[in-house]
């Protein structure tokens, strides 16, 4: 039998005698510390070389600025380091992540930005500037994605106070969706009413001068309006920057048009600022001759001309202008460019009266006010929570809540009203006019009520009677007992009247003192303020009927209870204007709205755990609150997630599934965005074209299910690890089925990952052979040489004296890619690299053994023959040293190769197993150790 290729890879033990399978004749039972070529040859792997000591709890990521300008990024809970391929520290930045955050980081590089996503931390970006300096900062959104885009169940109210918005949820402040954290960003949609800019002579004429041709003596200050006679008309200009002819005048340049840095054409016709996000119209009528213009400016940009309306002398056509600025909020202004008046020497003659109908009208529109919330000390208090001791709890249980007359906080009386309610052992107080400056957790609160005078005259027979009162210290309680004697009967009274203090924690009442016995009159002075129980016990002695009568007098008093505040609920957060809302003018000072939402990414909802780029859009996905939602930015505008109905508008798509399993991975490929959840695989696309709001769709393409491990973009297909981590699937379009198909690449090698406890990390080497690298949980590496066109999925393994914890790959020019690994060894934790030119030993002279063991040397034709006599031939692809080579015919006993007359095995066939009897279902093996190369192409028996 001949094994002329091993590109079937390491096969599962379950296929030990499956000679009917093609892979059986191209595979082996063990391929360890060898590299598999696509053509089927095996060669000894290079050793790893130590690059740098690793940080505690770190992961490594690639950063490629260009093919020859690349770095390794190490992220730990303490630092983020940028390392050169030689291990030099290029940058060291403070980390913002915890250990759990670091282990769940996902990354995607876009140009010079390395996005770092984590479900429990805001999206971060590592950036390299033109000077080569690195910085780490939160990603800045121009327009954020929002948790909700529809009307809400309860409103939020905005109140503008000295440039600061107060956000109030009213009676719904305790709703979970109204929970606020410091720094949260929220959006409130308000209505901006219709705005009008009138063209009035008073505004136009304010601060203007008639200007002549410029000379060195010409001087104008910023804000001055210039009117120049151009013969048949007057032209208008505005000075933007002081013009001093002595310094700024240039010979031959005599017009303001020659100095664009100092002057702009036209003068504004109205005093109010006009904002717009929608339709606008310029109306021009009555007797006016000249040129009006409508100009637009976006924040931080220059003014742009949208259109002009020209009415020549003698023909007042008054062209109407219209426009729609629905795409982005902006500023508009009405400008006067030219005027043609009856008096050619003085533009003030015949200038239109202020009642002229020339006006710019902006229709009412919906505006998003975007706020970043910051807590201040003056938030209104919605309610206080107070605990009730056993005495007051029973007191209110029996008598109900009194009508409270006063509320005192830390000894100061609160002037406003308040409501009190009880639930179990907790008392809730809702005060008016109390702020967080006045009260906080731990404050002492006192509630007072007026207790009326009580005169008790009561009979009791064979019972225990209890009466609860609040008694201030010094109160004198008087009681008198009587005996009623029925005629013809002998009466014996055995009764006691007591005043008892109701003590918390003792489970009942206890006699404080006996104040009198039968028939005696007595009084009792209360020593301390508190709730007391007046108790009368009577019982029957013998067969004689007995009755006892008690009289009690309690004077009127101001009763009260005190407790420490356990919780304060504030009804409002004060918020500062966020930079996202760049056009603040025109916002109503007070507004209530049902269209509001917090940002989709915040502490309460979680943050995106996945990031990618698709069709010039930034893609974010899978928060804790929205585990199956994908957000796509505007086209060519990666930090704008404002959804809309334009083709380039941002999108927010949520999968329609039967479960709420989180999206585990996503990968852009061609015209589709592929993704997988724990139970299914999906493709997001725009059908046959570029994806827009109108055609975006998410289609299900299978139910394999994924683990929480990043997917890999292989040569032309996506590779993902299935749920459980024991198998790898190829996901891509299949022309035969006209759909996306998942293909199991471990069907013949199902042990490679499973035996190592599954997979926890991935990388992909592209040179010299396409090879996927998987970090097994037991610390070994499982590798797969990959060529989907020729059906090559050859698995093999790397082991070392230590534990592999993570991998990353960087390009290396025209040479083989650099495979970096985090390795835990007995002498520490290190970053190491497998690179061309490395020795065939791991760091510190650690030797490793490269092993190839065939599967059974059997075929369908020879299945009936159990014995064979003859040698086993090995074909070496290059000259090899004899020293360090061992062979085996059963995989258990290994013999040192000592039969060659030379110290070299030359390229070609060599008989390394001598003639003899052995079974066809036996395995043949060869293993190599030492600092030396080795290349094997075929085995023949």
């Amino acid at each position: 039998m001949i094994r002329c290729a091993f590109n079937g890879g390491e096969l599962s033990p379950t296929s030990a005698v499956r000679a009917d399978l093609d892979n059986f004749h191209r595979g082996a039972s063990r391929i360890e510390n060898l590299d598999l070529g696509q053509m089927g040859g095996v060669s000894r792997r290079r050793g790893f070389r130590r690059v740098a000591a690793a940080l505690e709890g770190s992961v490594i990521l690639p950063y490629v600025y260009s093919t020859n300008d690349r770095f390794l990024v190490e992220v730990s809970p303490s630092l983020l380091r940028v390392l050169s391929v030689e291990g030099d520290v290029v940058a060291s930045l403070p980390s913002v992540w915890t250990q759990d955050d670091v282990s769940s980081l996902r990354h995607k590089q876009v140009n010079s930005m390395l996005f770092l996503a984590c479900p429990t931390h805001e999206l971060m970006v590592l950036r390299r500037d033109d000077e080569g300096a690195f910085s780490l900062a939160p990603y800045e959104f121009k327009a954020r994605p929002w948790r909700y885009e529809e009307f809400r169940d309860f409103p939020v109210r905005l109140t503008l106070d000295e440039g600061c918005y107060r956000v109030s949820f009213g009676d719904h402040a305790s709703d979970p969706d109204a929970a606020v954290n410091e720094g949260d960003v929220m959006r409130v949609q308000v209505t901006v009413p219709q705005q009008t800019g009138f063209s009035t002579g008073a505004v136009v004429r304010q601060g203007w001068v008639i200007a002549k041709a410029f000379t060195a003596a010409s001087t104008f200050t910023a804000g001055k309006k210039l009117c120049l006679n151009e013969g048949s008309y007057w032209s208008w200009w505005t000075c933007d920057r002081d013009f001093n002819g002595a310094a700024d005048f240039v010979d031959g340049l005599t017009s303001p048009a020659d100095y664009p840095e100092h002057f702009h054409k036209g003068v504004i016709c109205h005093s109010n600022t006009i904002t717009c996000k929608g339709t606008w119209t310029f109306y021009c009528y009555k007797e006016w001759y000249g040129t009006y213009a409508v100009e637009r400016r976006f924040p931080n940009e220059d003014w742009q001309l949208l259109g002009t309306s020209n009415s020549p002398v003698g023909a007042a056509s008054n062209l109407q202008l219209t426009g729609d600025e629905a795409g982005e909020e902006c500023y508009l202004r009405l400008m006067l460019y030219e005027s043609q008046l009856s008096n050619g020497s003085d533009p003030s003659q015949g200038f239109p009266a202020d009642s002229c109908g020339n006006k710019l009208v902006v229709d009412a529109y919906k505006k998003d006010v975007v706020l970043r919330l910051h807590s201040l000390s003056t938030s209104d208090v919605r309610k206080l929570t107070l605990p009730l001791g056993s005495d007051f709890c029973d007191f209110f249980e029996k008598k109900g809540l009194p009508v409270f007359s006063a509320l005192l906080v830390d000894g100061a009386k609160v002037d406003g009203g308040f409501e009190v309610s009880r639930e179990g052992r907790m008392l809730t107080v809702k005060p008016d006019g109390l702020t967080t400056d006045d009260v906080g957790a731990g404050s002492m609160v006192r509630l007072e009520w007026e207790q009326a005078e009580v005169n008790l005259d009561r009979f009791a027979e064979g019972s225990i009677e209890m009466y609860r009162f609040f008694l201030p210290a010094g109160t004198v309680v008087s009681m008198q007992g009587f005996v009623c004697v029925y005629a013809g009967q002998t009466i014996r009274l055995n009764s006691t009247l007591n005043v008892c203090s109701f003590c918390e924690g003792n489970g009942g009442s206890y006699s404080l003192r006996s104040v009198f016995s039968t028939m005696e009159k007595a009084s009792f002075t209360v020593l301390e303020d508190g709730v007391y129980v007046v108790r009368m016990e009577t019982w029957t002695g013998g067969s004689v009927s007995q009755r006892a009568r008690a009289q009690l007098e309690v004077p009127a008093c101001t009763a009260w209870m005190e407790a420490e505040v356990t919780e304060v609920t504030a009804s409002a957060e004060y918020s500062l204007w966020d930079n996202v809302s760049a056009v603040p003018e025109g916002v109503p000072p007070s507004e209530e709205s049902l269209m509001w939402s917090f940002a989709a990414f915040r502490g309460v909802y979680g943050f995106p755990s996945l990031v990618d780029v698709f069709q010039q859009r930034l893609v974010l996905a899978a928060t804790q609150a929205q585990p199956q939602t994908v957000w796509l930015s505007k086209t060519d505008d990666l930090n704008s997630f404002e959804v809309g109905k334009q083709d380039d508008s941002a999108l927010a798509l949520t999968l329609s599934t039967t479960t709420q399993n989180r999206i585990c991975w996503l990968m852009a490929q061609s015209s589709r965005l592929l993704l997988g959840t724990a139970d299914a695989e999906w493709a997001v696309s725009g059908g046959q074209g570029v994806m827009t709001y109108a055609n975006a769709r998410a289609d299900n393409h299978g139910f394999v299910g994924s683990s929480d491990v990043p997917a890999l973009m292989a040569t032309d297909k996506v590779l993902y690890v299935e749920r459980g981590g024991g198998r790898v699937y190829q996901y891509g379009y299949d022309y035969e089925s006209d759909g996306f198909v998942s293909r199991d690449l471990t069907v013949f090698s199902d042990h490679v990952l499973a035996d190592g406890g599954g997979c926890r990390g991935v990388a992909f080497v592209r040179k010299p052979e396409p090879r996927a690298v998987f970090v097994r949980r037991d610390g070994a590496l499982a590798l797969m040489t990959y060529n989907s066109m020729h059906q090559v999925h050859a698995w093999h393994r790397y082991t070392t004296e230590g534990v592999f914890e993570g991998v990353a790959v960087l390009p290396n020019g025209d040479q083989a890619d650099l495979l970096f690994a985090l390795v835990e060894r007995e002498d520490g934790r290190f970053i190491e690299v497998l690179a061309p030119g490395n020795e065939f030993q791991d760091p510190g002279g650690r030797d490793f053994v490269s092993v190839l063991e065939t599967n059974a040397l059997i075929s369908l034709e020879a299945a009936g023959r159990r014995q064979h006599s003859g040698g086993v031939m090995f074909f070496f692809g290059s000259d090899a040293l004899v020293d360090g080579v061992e062979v085996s015919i059963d995989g258990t006993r290994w013999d040192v190769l000592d039969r060659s007359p030379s110290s070299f095995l030359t390229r070609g066939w060599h008989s390394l197993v001598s003639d003899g009897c052995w079974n066809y279902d036996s395995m043949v093996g060869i293993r190599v150790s030492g600092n030396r190369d080795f290349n094997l192409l075929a085995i023949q028996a």
Side-chain angles (χ1 to χ4, degrees):
M1 293 305 302
I2 186 170
R3 294 287 187 267
C4 58
F6 298 98
N7 56 8
E10 185 173 304
L11 301 180
S12 169
T14 59
S15 62
V17 292
R18 292 298 306 274
D20 58 322
L21 298 175
D22 171 68
N23 274 41
F24 181 85
H25 302 283
R26 296 186 294 110
S29 63
R30 181 183 177 191
I31 306 176
E32 183 176 332
N33 289 322
L34 292 167
D35 287 331
L36 266 174
Q38 297 179 69
M39 297 299 294
V42 297
S43 59
R44 195 155 190 246
R45 74 162 173 91
R46 294 278 178 173
F48 282 87
R49 171 172 49 84
R50 192 162 291 175
V51 172
L55 299 172
E56 184 68 28
S58 64
V59 297
I60 53 175
L61 311 170
Y63 181 95
V64 182
Y65 194 76
S66 65
T67 303
N68 297 312
D69 196 7
R70 64 269 193 253
F71 305 89
L72 191 69
V73 177
E74 183 185 18
V75 186
S76 78
S78 59
L79 288 175
L80 181 149
R81 297 194 305 180
V82 181
L83 307 173
S84 69
V85 293
E86 293 80 19
D88 298 324
V89 178
V90 177
S92 183
L93 305 168
S95 176
V96 298
W97 298 279
T98 66
Q99 183 61 70
D100 289 340
D101 294 339
V102 169
S103 61
S104 62
L105 279 180
R106 297 289 184 92
H107 69 280
K108 179 68 178 183
Q109 187 173 338
V110 182
N111 300 325
S112 63
M113 298 182 295
L114 181 65
F115 287 87
L116 299 169
C118 169
T120 54
H121 195 282
E122 62 185 320
L123 185 67
M124 301 294 291
V125 176
L126 178 69
R127 197 185 307 257
R128 183 177 188 253
D129 62 23
D130 294 337
E131 285 72 38
F134 285 88
S135 61
L136 178 67
Y139 187 56
E140 295 183 3
F141 292 93
K142 181 170 68 177
R144 290 167 173 78
W146 304 105
R147 177 69 173 88
Y148 299 101
E149 296 288 347
E150 65 277 0
F151 287 100
R152 308 300 301 283
D153 294 333
F154 57 89
V156 65
R157 184 169 185 81
L158 285 184
T159 304
L160 185 60
D161 182 16
E162 297 182 355
C164 188
Y165 278 100
R166 174 183 172 184
V167 181
S168 175
F169 295 97
D171 293 338
H172 298 274
S174 59
D175 191 283
D177 218 25
V180 175
N181 291 328
E182 182 76 12
D184 280 348
V185 175
M186 74 177 302
R187 175 198 65 183
V188 181
Q189 188 179 91
V190 299
T191 300
V192 179
Q194 185 184 82
Q195 304 165 81
T196 303
F198 285 96
S199 169
T200 64
V203 174
V204 174
R205 287 191 295 266
Q206 186 177 11
W208 68 279
V209 295
I210 296 178
K212 305 292 185 181
F214 282 17
T215 67
S218 300
T219 301
F220 302 99
T221 58
K224 183 66 68 176
K225 299 172 184 176
L226 283 66
C227 187
L228 282 75
N229 193 321
E230 304 286 355
S232 62
Y233 63 91
W234 295 86
S235 65
W236 294 84
W237 297 82
T238 300
C239 181
D240 295 323
R241 194 176 76 181
D242 291 349
F243 181 86
N244 186 344
D248 300 322
F249 177 73
V250 178
D251 288 340
L253 304 182
T254 60
S255 169
D258 298 324
Y259 302 92
E261 294 183 356
H262 293 267
F263 302 93
H264 70 258
K265 187 174 183 179
V267 293
I268 192 167
C269 298
H270 49 88
S271 57
N272 57 312
T273 301
I274 299 179
T275 60
C276 181
K277 190 179 182 184
T279 56
W280 57 267
T281 305
F282 168 64
Y283 299 94
C284 183
Y285 56 94
K286 294 191 177 179
E287 193 129 339
W288 170 252
Y289 307 101
T291 301
Y292 277 102
V294 177
E295 294 183 343
R296 175 187 66 192
R297 180 174 69 84
F298 292 109
N300 304 317
E301 295 183 9
D302 296 328
W303 287 98
Q304 301 171 324
L305 175 64
L306 296 181
T308 59
S309 176
N310 192 339
S311 297
V313 173
S317 59
N318 300 323
L319 177 66
Q320 180 174 293
L321 301 176
T322 61
D324 190 347
E325 309 302 325
E328 185 175 346
E329 192 175 21
C330 62
Y331 298 100
L332 294 182
R333 67 183 184 185
L334 179 61
M335 303 290 288
L336 174 63
Y337 278 6
E338 300 167 352
S339 61
Q340 297 175 334
L341 303 179
S342 57
N343 189 332
S345 61
D346 186 354
S348 65
Q349 299 296 315
F351 201 86
D354 290 350
S355 61
C356 175
N358 302 329
K359 59 184 177 181
L360 173 64
V361 177
V362 174
D363 294 330
Y365 66 95
K366 300 293 186 181
K367 173 187 175 64
D368 288 338
V369 180
V370 181
L371 306 170
R372 186 183 298 277
L373 303 186
H374 297 284
S375 301
L376 300 180
S377 60
T378 53
S379 298
D380 288 346
V381 173
R382 287 289 303 161
K383 63 181 181 180
L384 307 174
T385 303
L386 308 174
L388 288 175
S390 297
D391 51 355
F392 281 104
C393 189
D394 275 13
F395 180 58
F396 294 148
E397 181 77 30
K398 298 293 184 181
K399 303 197 67 168
L401 289 180
V403 178
F404 293 99
S405 58
L407 170 65
L408 291 83
V409 176
D410 293 332
K413 186 176 180 180
V414 177
D415 294 332
F418 59 94
E419 298 178 7
V420 181
S421 60
R422 184 182 70 87
E423 184 173 348
R425 291 182 174 270
M426 302 304 293
L427 207 61
T428 298
V429 182
K430 296 182 178 180
D432 292 335
L434 203 60
T435 71
T436 50
D437 276 348
D438 305 318
V439 63
S443 295
M444 184 62 71
V445 171
R446 175 169 171 156
L447 290 166
E448 296 182 352
W449 68 94
E450 301 303 321
Q451 183 172 284
E453 177 182 350
V454 177
N455 292 302
L456 178 65
D457 190 350
R458 182 66 184 254
F459 283 95
E461 178 177 1
S463 63
I464 299 176
E465 297 289 335
M466 291 196 238
Y467 307 95
R468 289 170 171 80
F469 303 98
F470 180 91
L471 302 176
T475 302
V476 177
V477 180
S478 300
M479 290 179 287
Q480 174 71 57
F482 297 91
V483 176
C484 294
V485 180
Y486 294 94
Q489 294 181 337
T490 302
I491 304 299
R492 181 167 63 99
L493 182 64
N494 186 9
S495 177
T496 304
L497 294 177
N498 297 323
V499 177
C500 306
S501 172
F502 198 88
C503 303
E504 182 179 353
N506 292 330
S509 59
Y510 297 88
S511 177
L512 182 63
R513 67 171 62 176
S514 179
V515 296
F516 66 89
S517 48
T518 306
M519 300 299 294
E520 293 181 352
K521 181 177 182 180
S523 63
F524 173 69
T525 302
V526 176
L527 300 178
E528 295 181 359
D529 297 349
V531 174
Y532 288 84
V533 177
V534 176
R535 176 180 177 131
M536 180 176 69
E537 300 176 359
T538 65
W539 62 90
T540 301
S543 59
V544 180
S545 296
Q546 305 175 60
R547 298 185 71 192
R549 181 182 182 189
Q551 289 183 335
L552 175 68
E553 296 177 0
V554 179
C557 68
T558 299
W560 55 268
M561 64 154 286
E562 281 189 338
E564 282 191 359
V565 177
T566 58
E567 184 180 354
V568 176
T569 302
S571 63
E573 295 284 338
Y574 278 75
S575 312
L576 303 180
W577 192 271
D578 188 78
N579 291 333
V580 174
S581 289
V583 186
E585 289 86 355
V587 178
S590 182
E591 182 84 4
E592 189 171 81
S593 175
L594 284 169
M595 282 292 289
W596 63 271
S597 175
F598 284 104
F601 309 149
R602 67 180 188 128
V604 175
Y605 300 146
F607 300 91
S609 55
L610 302 171
V611 57
D612 210 313
V613 174
F614 174 64
Q615 293 185 344
Q616 300 299 106
R617 300 173 183 263
L618 180 65
V619 183
L620 303 173
T623 65
Q624 293 171 349
Q626 295 174 274
Q628 295 188 327
T629 299
V630 179
W631 293 269
L632 299 96
S633 73
K634 291 185 66 174
T635 305
D636 292 322
D637 197 354
L638 301 186
N639 61 354
S640 178
F641 285 79
E642 182 178 7
V643 297
K645 295 187 177 181
Q646 287 75 39
D647 285 349
D648 65 345
S649 293
L651 304 170
L653 306 174
T654 300
L655 305 180
S656 297
T657 70
T658 58
T659 68
Q660 281 297 299
N661 288 316
R662 185 173 67 86
I663 299 173
C664 299
W665 59 266
L666 55 84
M667 184 70 68
Q669 185 194 38
S670 185
S671 62
R672 288 173 172 82
L673 180 67
L674 308 181
L675 56 89
T677 68
D679 61 350
E681 294 71 56
W682 297 78
V684 177
S685 70
Q688 300 302 315
V690 175
M691 188 164 62
T692 69
Y693 87 97
N695 64 12
R697 54 186 290 181
D699 298 312
N700 174 244
H701 288 278
F703 293 92
V704 175
S706 302
S707 65
D708 196 18
V709 174
L712 288 173
M713 187 67 242
T715 308
D716 57 351
K717 296 289 193 298
V718 174
L719 308 182
Y720 69 90
V721 181
E722 61 94 32
R723 177 165 42 92
R727 290 182 178 271
V728 174
Y729 281 79
Q730 172 185 280
Y731 188 48
Y733 186 77
D734 180 74
Y735 287 95
E736 292 183 3
S737 58
D738 190 23
F740 281 79
V741 174
S742 290
R743 180 184 177 191
D744 187 357
L745 303 186
T746 50
V747 64
F748 298 114
S749 306
D750 55 6
H751 69 296
V752 173
L753 289 177
D755 286 356
C759 172
R760 63 176 178 177
V762 294
F764 199 87
V765 176
R766 304 192 183 277
K767 284 184 68 66
E769 302 271 3
R771 187 172 294 129
V773 183
F774 301 84
V775 183
R776 303 199 319 183
R777 294 191 179 276
D778 66 352
L781 297 183
L783 300 94
M784 179 184 63
T785 300
Y786 177 84
N787 187 319
S788 63
M789 180 175 293
H790 296 285
Q791 303 297 307
V792 175
H793 313 113
W795 288 91
H796 49 294
R797 290 176 288 141
Y798 285 176
T799 58
T800 189
E801 188 180 316
V803 175
F804 292 106
E805 295 184 349
V807 290
V809 175
L810 289 177
N812 192 28
D814 295 334
Q815 301 185 58
D817 288 350
L818 303 176
L819 175 61
F820 289 86
L822 276 170
V823 189
E824 180 75 46
R825 301 192 185 275
E826 61 180 8
D827 57 340
R829 189 169 185 266
F830 301 94
I831 298 174
E832 300 176 0
V833 62
L834 188 151
N838 282 7
E839 294 184 342
F840 292 91
Q841 288 183 324
D842 286 339
R846 291 175 172 86
D847 197 9
F848 59 86
V849 180
S850 299
V851 183
L852 172 68
E853 295 179 10
T854 69
N855 48 18
L857 296 177
I858 191 172
S859 67
L860 290 177
E861 295 80 5
R865 294 161 43 197
R866 301 291 296 164
Q867 300 292 326
H868 174 76
S869 296
V872 179
M873 305 287 290
F874 293 78
F875 189 95
F876 292 95
S878 60
D879 294 348
L881 290 170
V882 173
D883 185 37
V885 177
E886 299 174 275
V887 294
S888 174
I889 62 171
D890 58 9
T892 58
R893 176 184 171 183
W894 293 88
D895 297 316
V896 176
L897 189 64
D898 58 1
R899 298 174 58 254
S900 174
S902 170
S903 61
F904 281 92
L905 295 170
T906 59
R907 186 180 188 278
W909 288 104
H910 292 270
S911 177
L912 302 185
V913 177
S914 59
D915 293 348
C917 293
W918 49 278
N919 292 331
Y920 269 112
D921 57 1
S922 295
M923 299 182 298
V924 174
I926 186 168
R927 68 186 186 188
V928 182
S929 59
N931 187 9
R932 44 82 57 80
D933 195 1
F934 175 75
N935 191 323
L936 180 68
L937 299 183
I939 295 178
Q940 179 177 343

